[in-house]
Amino acid sequence: MSSIAVYPGSFDPLTFGHLNIAARAAHLFDELHIVVVHNPAKSPRFSSAERVELIRASLSEAGRFGTPMPSSHVSKIVIDTLDSGLLVDYCRMVGAKALLKGVRNNADLEYELPMAFVNRDLAGVETIFMPANPQNGFVSSSLVKQVADLGGSVDKYVPSAVARALAASASNRKS
Ligand code: PNS
């Protein structure tokens, strides 16, 4: 039986922190769904379609943070969106028994644990927590948006397609 995991998030936008988690998980599972989920608590900078496209364009840069994604692993990755409905229903639909979450610190764990309890309670879907790479453990999508908007370089924190998209969105917001 193949092992299928779902890696959900806002990915607004994808950072090297996210990409490193995906690359390491691609070693562990036969299929990994990176799912751009609509989070009603956040107003996204990029549309779901743009976020999917940025993820797709960035997979080849996973090696910049120590975990390259060979083509045999890239082919295990499905990039998808979930604009409404429960994540566990998506898991059921694709046959995934596990959710994957990257954890940078205690605050992440505190935020994630209630969701992990609920997802297990609702449908028996387990959550696997993977510690972030210490090199990019402080990187977040909201911080990189702020740095880019204020004219700073985000090249160390995000893949090049994301850096270009952030630069374009920063200049649109100024004009
Ligand atoms: O990157 P984020 O914004 O922290 O991701 C949060 C996300 C999208 C994973 C979370 O909001 C979520 O799981 N949404 C799916 C809706 C759902 O199933 N909710 C009920 C159980 S948590």
Side-chain angles (χ1 to χ4, degrees), residues 8-11 37 39 42 85-88 101 111 115 118-119:
S10 296
F11 302 112
V37 182
N39 183 344
K42 296 180 178 172
L86 288 171
L87 195 51
V88 290
K101 296 289 182 84
Y111 169 70
M115 294 195 271
V118 168
N119 288 323

Side-chain angles (χ1 to χ4, degrees), residues 19-37:
L19 191 52
N20 179 262
I21 296 287
R24 285 157 60 203
H27 283 272
L28 304 176
F29 299 101
D30 299 318
E31 197 173 303
L32 180 70
H33 291 241
I34 304 178
V35 184
V36 173
V37 182

Side-chain angles (χ1 to χ4, degrees), residues 3-7 29 31-34 94 96-100 128:
S3 61
I4 304 172
V6 168
Y7 178 28
F29 299 101
E31 197 173 303
L32 180 70
H33 291 241
I34 304 178
V94 301
K97 292 207 169 83
L99 287 163
L100 172 74
I128 295 170

Side-chain angles (χ1 to χ4, degrees), residues 42-137:
K42 296 180 178 172
S43 39
R45 172 74 59 96
F46 298 103
S47 70
S48 325
E50 286 169 328
R51 285 178 268 164
V52 164
E53 212 29 65
L54 289 174
I55 296 169
R56 201 182 309 287
S58 300
L59 295 181
S60 62
E61 285 188 57
R64 280 178 63 190
F65 271 96
T67 309
M69 212 158 353
S71 53
S72 58
H73 286 181
V74 171
S75 62
K76 295 176 178 188
I77 291 189
V78 175
I79 307 168
D80 208 347
T81 58
L82 180 69
D83 289 328
S84 63
L86 288 171
L87 195 51
V88 290
D89 288 336
Y90 178 89
C91 291
R92 204 177 282 140
M93 185 180 80
V94 301
K97 292 207 169 83
L99 287 163
L100 172 74
K101 296 289 182 84
V103 177
R104 292 163 297 186
N105 48 40
N106 285 350
D108 277 355
L109 200 57
E110 237 172 81
Y111 169 70
E112 294 293 347
L113 268 178
M115 294 195 271
F117 290 135
V118 168
N119 288 323
R120 184 162 188 265
D121 195 47
L122 284 173
V125 175
E126 297 285 1
T127 299
I128 295 170
F129 294 115
M130 185 178 274
N133 187 353
Q135 260 182 295
N136 38 38

